[in-house]
Amino acid sequence: MAAALSMTCAICQAQLRSVQEAQEHAELTGHTDFSESTEPVLNLVCRSCGKPCRTKTECDLHTRRTGHEDFEDKTNEAAKPISLEAKTEDMASTEEATPSADEGVDLVVLEVNKEMLEELEGMGFPHARAVRALHFSGSSSVEAAINWVVEHENDADIDEIPKVPASEDGKQHHYTPEEAKAKMMELRERARKKKEEEEKRMEREREKERIRIGKELQEAKRIEEENERKRLIQLRKAEKEEDQRAREKIRQKLEEDKAERRRKLGLPPEEAPKVQPSPPAEEKKSFVPVRPASKAEQMRECLRGLKQNHKDDDARVKKAFQTLLTYIGNIVRSPDEEKFRKIRVSNPTFQERVGSLRGGIQFLEICGFQKGGDDFLTLPRDKVDIAVLNSAGSELNSAISNPFFGVL
């Protein structure tokens, strides 16, 4: 036969872990009819604060009060067999010490804390149920009485006022109104301090969690910025390599065109420059000849300088590039139109878009525009070089379409 793991009160169906708990239950309630049970007493422990709960109702109340929802079932760990000998002896002594109604003992209505009783009745609890709850919860607090009502609301005798022998009732301690009020204030103060401690503990936990999440977000942001930086470096490197390849192709094309023109003119192929022998160490020059920059290179550097000088205002720089492209395009399409080759420097629109930006007028001068004494920039008809203007248009298109122009 399986060993008994708990004791069940036949009157209120309360499950008790040991004979000692059964004795305490009997002393508190007057119930003396107990039976052995192989079902262990539930032991559901809150993972957040460690509070044990014996029933699902206790778990629900704890969740409503604290918000804790995660419980660990430790029923099997806490379950222990009950000694039958101890049970027999203890129950016998309990039954001997507890007089029954059949012995003709006078029963009287139990007295409870009046202020707590009035508070419960003010909440809507029936008088008998409130008295019963205060009695069986030990009149410790209104909250404990409410918990008892919730757990025993299905009891058949829930609305019966409990009675005890007159001699036992006389032994109870009766508080004066002042003592009862002081006791209630003490219990409430104790509950308030406990709640404050719990809130402080939870706030510390929340602060730790906030710090942990903050560090994780900072680390994730750092990694993302590092990856973005590497990606930009790769893009810039690829842009430089593409630009270098494009220049090489243009150079090769120019060489091929030059050779083709010489062939059509019947000229012999251009000889490769002879490599002069290196002079003796003492005759070597201390300088390296510098090739003059081409018009296209001068334009590119001018546009880069313009963007660098105004790097905080990309929209304004882009508008300047587009305005310059419009000037150059008009001249290429209609080189004989004087109005396209003449720009009033003091014009507000010109000043806003080009003239006020350092490098704007310099770019036009590289294209062939000249400053006159009559507040005009003029490109003489005989100075119009379509090849130079086409190069200027190419550089401006590249500056507008290349997102990394002026950044590299």
Side-chain angles (χ1 to χ4, degrees), residues 76-95:
N76 294 331
E77 297 179 13
K80 294 181 181 179
I82 296 176
S83 173
L84 298 179
E85 290 78 7
K87 182 258 181 184
T88 303
E89 295 174 0
D90 293 336
M91 287 299 98
S93 61
T94 301
E95 292 175 357

Side-chain angles (χ1 to χ4, degrees), residues 36-191:
E36 301 169 8
S37 174
T38 57
E39 292 291 331
V41 178
L42 278 178
N43 186 28
L44 304 175
V45 181
C46 177
R47 293 181 185 272
S48 300
C49 63
K51 183 185 185 309
C53 299
R54 290 194 176 190
T55 64
K56 295 292 185 182
T57 303
E58 283 189 31
C59 293
D60 293 341
L61 289 171
H62 182 68
T63 299
R64 274 182 286 187
R65 286 195 301 269
T66 64
H68 302 164
E69 298 179 351
D70 192 8
F71 294 86
E72 182 180 2
D73 191 347
K74 293 187 176 181
T75 302
N76 294 331
E77 297 179 13
K80 294 181 181 179
I82 296 176
S83 173
L84 298 179
E85 290 78 7
K87 182 258 181 184
T88 303
E89 295 174 0
D90 293 336
M91 287 299 98
S93 61
T94 301
E95 292 175 357
E96 290 175 0
T98 306
S100 64
D102 297 337
E103 296 176 357
V105 178
D106 293 335
L107 298 178
V108 295
V109 177
L110 190 69
E111 291 188 11
V112 294
N113 187 292
K114 292 183 179 180
E115 292 189 4
M116 292 186 183
L117 179 61
E118 291 177 359
E119 189 170 349
L120 287 172
E121 289 178 343
M123 295 179 184
F125 289 99
H127 177 77
R129 188 172 299 195
V131 172
R132 196 174 188 84
L134 287 172
H135 169 61
F136 289 124
S137 64
S139 295
S140 58
S141 67
V142 174
E143 182 181 9
I146 294 173
N147 291 342
W148 187 93
V149 171
V150 173
E151 293 177 7
H152 298 272
E153 61 182 352
N154 295 324
D155 292 355
D157 56 352
I158 186 66
D159 289 320
E160 295 180 7
I161 296 180
K163 295 183 179 182
V164 295
S167 58
E168 184 176 331
D169 181 63
K171 297 177 183 178
Q172 293 185 354
H173 178 73
H174 297 285
Y175 293 103
T176 64
E178 291 78 9
E179 291 176 337
K181 186 174 181 180
K183 186 69 175 177
M184 182 181 295
M185 294 297 292
E186 178 186 350
L187 292 173
R188 288 182 177 175
E189 181 65 18
R190 195 181 304 167

Side-chain angles (χ1 to χ4, degrees), residues 217-377:
L217 290 175
Q218 288 180 354
E219 180 65 15
K221 184 178 180 181
R222 186 192 66 78
I223 294 173
E224 183 180 357
E225 290 176 349
E226 180 68 17
N227 292 338
E228 182 66 15
R229 186 182 66 82
K230 291 179 179 178
R231 188 181 70 83
L232 288 175
I233 290 174
Q234 292 295 329
L235 286 175
R236 292 171 185 173
K237 183 178 179 181
E239 182 72 19
K240 285 183 178 181
E241 293 175 352
E242 183 65 24
D243 189 47
Q244 185 66 28
R245 287 193 293 269
R247 290 182 183 181
E248 184 63 24
K249 287 181 181 179
I250 293 173
R251 188 189 65 77
Q252 291 178 0
K253 181 65 175 173
L254 291 174
E255 292 292 336
E256 291 173 0
D257 291 346
K258 185 177 180 181
E260 181 65 18
R261 286 195 299 271
R262 291 181 67 86
R263 186 184 65 77
K264 288 180 179 180
L265 294 172
L267 298 175
E270 187 177 9
E271 295 182 1
K274 295 182 180 179
V275 179
Q276 297 294 332
S278 299
E282 61 274 5
E283 296 181 5
K284 285 185 178 180
K285 302 296 181 179
S286 59
F287 66 90
V288 177
V290 179
R291 178 177 60 86
S294 65
K295 286 280 188 180
E297 291 174 341
Q298 292 177 20
M299 293 173 186
R300 189 179 307 118
E301 289 302 319
C302 180
L303 294 177
R304 283 178 178 166
L306 190 151
K307 186 165 185 178
Q308 286 291 331
N309 292 333
H310 306 279
K311 59 184 178 181
D312 295 331
D313 196 347
D314 288 341
R316 190 179 180 192
V317 171
K318 188 172 183 180
K319 183 180 289 186
F321 288 169
Q322 291 171 341
T323 303
L324 291 171
L325 183 60
T326 300
Y327 289 149
I328 300 301
N330 289 338
I331 298 173
V332 171
R333 285 189 294 271
S334 304
D336 294 327
E337 287 286 346
E338 184 179 0
K339 64 179 181 179
F340 294 145
R341 294 184 284 105
K342 197 171 185 180
I343 303 172
R344 184 187 294 276
V345 177
S346 59
N347 183 285
T349 302
F350 174 79
Q351 280 295 323
E352 178 188 355
R353 297 186 178 184
V354 177
S356 61
L357 276 69
R358 190 167 59 181
I361 294 178
Q362 180 186 353
F363 181 83
L364 292 171
E365 290 176 343
I366 295 173
C367 294
F369 279 86
Q370 300 174 356
K371 289 182 179 179
D374 52 354
D375 195 29
F376 280 95
L377 279 173

